[in-house]
Amino acid sequence: MSESITLTDAGFLPEDLLPDVSLLVTEDDESLDNLRSEKQQRLLTETLYSSWNGPSNAQGFLVAANVGLFTTGKQPPIVPDVFLSLDVQIAENWWEKKHRSYFFWEFGKPPEVVIEIVSNREGNETGRKLLEYARMRVMYYIIFDPTQQLGGEILQMYELRGRQYIPTSEQWLTEVELGLCLWEGAYEGKRDVWLRWCDTEGNVIPTGAERAEQEREAKETALQRLERLAAQLRALGVEPGA
């Protein structure tokens, strides 16, 4: 297991302890995922950038898929399917190697949420990863197991209490001001049960396409109401706009 790191009061490593990022492997050519998981990852990331402004009092957020989390420069990263981190911003020059992954000593904090999407039994989501994310102090750990490969519930949610995760049935993530729910419907032409972000009332946060469709339908409804009102006025002998 990776060794711990000591941050300053501001949440960052002292300059003289910064790892040499030129020696780190931040990306490789070995990523191999399935179509279902890739689409699910995109649904979780695109939705927030399209239709969410972040929680109150937060200064920006970062949601990403398949990006490494580096706690130290001496150990390989752990790569969640999706993570969400509040009060952080991507550096302007994100091509610099020191900005190309989620380095804890650069961002000064762990993500608030990590999500693992299970497609086989090789990921060790309820074993090593659970322990690693707890060690990183990730507040919420979510396991989405759509085909129940692990033999448990489709959606498993954990909240950090002290130094370990406690299973919870609460799907509202209070500290993030977002919820997670299972939603059956069509996304990009594929009908399935999807993991979706939702608001406090359980309404899913729409994708950009869904929001555009909602706005189009709202305009059509408003226009139809105006047309009905105009017809009623004409029936009374009143010309609209006269």
Side-chain angles (χ1 to χ4, degrees):
M1 188 170 293
S2 305
E3 63 187 63
S4 61
I5 58 175
T6 302
L7 302 178
T8 66
D9 291 340
F12 300 91
L13 275 176
E15 289 289 334
D16 58 340
L17 295 180
L18 290 177
D20 183 356
V21 297
S22 67
L23 303 177
L24 302 180
V25 177
T26 59
E27 58 269 336
D28 56 38
D29 297 321
E30 296 182 1
S31 296
L32 185 64
D33 217 332
N34 61 78
L35 293 172
R36 173 63 173 80
S37 294
E38 185 278 333
K39 201 173 284 288
Q40 175 66 79
Q41 292 166 5
R42 191 150 36 82
L43 174 59
L44 289 168
T45 54
E46 186 268 338
T47 295
L48 294 190
Y49 285 123
S50 294
S51 304
W52 192 54
N53 295 322
S56 57
N57 301 320
Q59 300 297 314
F61 67 89
L62 170 61
V63 58
N66 286 323
V67 173
L69 304 180
F70 287 81
T71 57
T72 76
K74 297 181 179 180
Q75 297 291 335
I78 186 168
V79 186
D81 287 309
V82 176
F83 72 79
L84 170 63
S85 186
L86 306 180
D87 291 310
V88 297
Q89 294 183 345
I90 299 175
E92 187 69 24
N93 188 358
W94 62 355
W95 281 112
E96 283 190 45
K97 192 163 185 179
K98 67 179 182 179
H99 300 311
R100 290 171 71 164
S101 287
Y102 196 98
F103 299 119
F104 279 43
W105 55 90
E106 287 288 328
F107 287 96
K109 58 183 287 294
E112 275 73 17
V113 183
V114 294
I115 300 173
E116 292 288 355
I117 302 164
V118 181
S119 56
N120 53 52
R121 298 184 181 182
E122 305 302 319
N124 205 7
E125 286 84 4
T126 57
R128 179 186 63 84
K129 286 184 178 179
L130 185 144
L131 296 175
E132 283 287 294
Y133 290 134
R135 184 192 62 80
M136 291 179 180
R137 302 295 186 268
V138 174
M139 191 176 302
Y140 300 105
Y141 175 38
I142 315 300
I143 300 174
F144 178 47
D145 186 9
T147 57
Q148 295 180 288
Q149 293 285 324
L150 304 181
E153 298 294 327
I154 292 177
L155 181 59
Q156 301 174 44
M157 305 186 67
Y158 297 87
E159 183 175 358
L160 192 66
R161 302 283 179 83
R163 302 177 65 88
Q164 64 182 1
Y165 282 121
I166 303 298
T168 177
S169 60
E170 179 60 56
Q171 295 185 1
W172 179 250
L173 312 181
T174 302
E175 298 300 322
V176 183
E177 297 181 21
L178 271 176
L180 281 164
C181 63
L182 299 178
W183 175 80
E184 185 173 357
Y187 172 60
E188 295 184 347
K190 295 299 293 183
R191 179 166 291 276
D192 209 326
V193 175
W194 304 93
L195 181 63
R196 298 287 301 262
W197 300 105
C198 61
D199 63 20
T200 185
E201 296 179 351
N203 302 308
V204 297
I205 307 298
T207 64
E210 289 170 339
R211 186 161 51 84
E213 178 63 19
Q214 291 171 1
E215 292 172 353
R216 185 189 65 79
E217 291 176 353
K219 289 180 180 178
E220 287 186 356
T221 300
L223 180 59
Q224 291 169 0
R225 288 175 180 172
L226 288 174
E227 291 173 345
R228 287 196 298 269
L229 177 59
Q232 293 170 356
L233 290 174
R234 292 190 185 98
L236 296 173
V238 178
E239 186 62 31

